[in-house]
Amino acid sequence: MPEAGEDLTALIRRSAPMQGDGAEALAAWAALGGLLPGGMPVLLRAVPDRDFATGFALLQAVRCHLLDAGPGYRSAVWAGVLEDLDARRPVSQPWLHARLAGLARPAESGSARAGVDRLAAHPACSARVGALELAGGAVAAGSAPAWLADLLAGMLGDLLERPAEARCLRLAAAALRLADRIGDPALAGRAAELAAVLPPFLADPAIRATLRPTP
């Protein structure tokens, strides 16, 4: 466990992969493990705004501690991520919450929806991309729950209505990829409308599929 009053930001930074496997880095990694899973919200708040390096270090530490974790541990990490998303609206680095949520994602699609909805409501493109990537786990054998189809239809419609300069191409690509996976005719129609006004490379499903591995 970390010592009382220890600077958690500094602790996270000492655990960063760039520090290698020296004694200090390993001690920091172990100390973070002593705070997990229940301390997930506290650790997230210790990451300074727009500090990617510290956020990435925390992500890697949590990833390692989740490798052999059981369902209860994963559930606690998931709950901690949602707690921080609720407490700080909007969080400054939603990509971090999206990645952590993906690592600890519940098996049940209904439970995953709580994280998807929170990320989808964030104004940042990276958050909404994370929402769709997280939602991808609810797609099975070419079908998706109604709530996901509704969410995706809304995002496709919003992207269509935006002027070209205001469209987030990462979000457009993620939405089109998910529509390709689901295969619903209504979604496919909306996706085709969107693809028609996007750069040519996004109009080809085969190319879209290679832009990022499916979740």
Side-chain angles (χ1 to χ4, degrees), residues 169 172-181 188 191-212 214:
L169 293 185
L176 291 175
R177 279 198 305 273
L178 192 54
D180 291 341
R181 288 184 62 202
E193 290 180 61
L194 177 59
V197 298
L198 292 174
F201 70 92
L202 286 177
D204 186 338
I207 295 176
R208 287 200 299 270
T210 66
L211 295 178
R212 187 180 185 88
T214 53

Side-chain angles (χ1 to χ4, degrees), residues 7-10 12-13 41-48 54 58 88:
D7 182 344
L8 293 182
T9 303
I12 294 169
R13 289 170 176 163
V42 175
L43 291 172
L44 282 166
R45 289 165 202 160
V47 177
T54 302
L58 177 60
R88 297 189 292 157

Side-chain angles (χ1 to χ4, degrees), residues 49-131:
D49 289 352
R50 294 176 292 279
D51 183 341
F52 175 83
T54 302
F56 184 74
L58 177 60
L59 173 64
Q60 295 302 100
V62 176
R63 185 196 303 274
C64 289
H65 284 292
L66 280 169
L67 286 176
D68 58 355
Y73 192 105
R74 291 180 177 274
S75 179
V77 170
W78 170 263
V81 172
L82 297 191
E83 179 183 324
D84 193 52
L85 283 169
D86 285 338
R88 297 189 292 157
R89 293 191 179 188
V91 294
S92 68
Q93 296 197 77
W95 68 268
L96 175 57
H97 294 71
R99 291 289 175 266
L100 288 169
L103 291 173
R105 174 172 47 200
E108 307 82 13
S109 66
S111 299
R113 182 180 179 181
V116 172
D117 286 347
R118 286 165 171 80
L119 289 167
H122 195 286
C125 176
S126 63
R128 288 175 285 156
V129 171

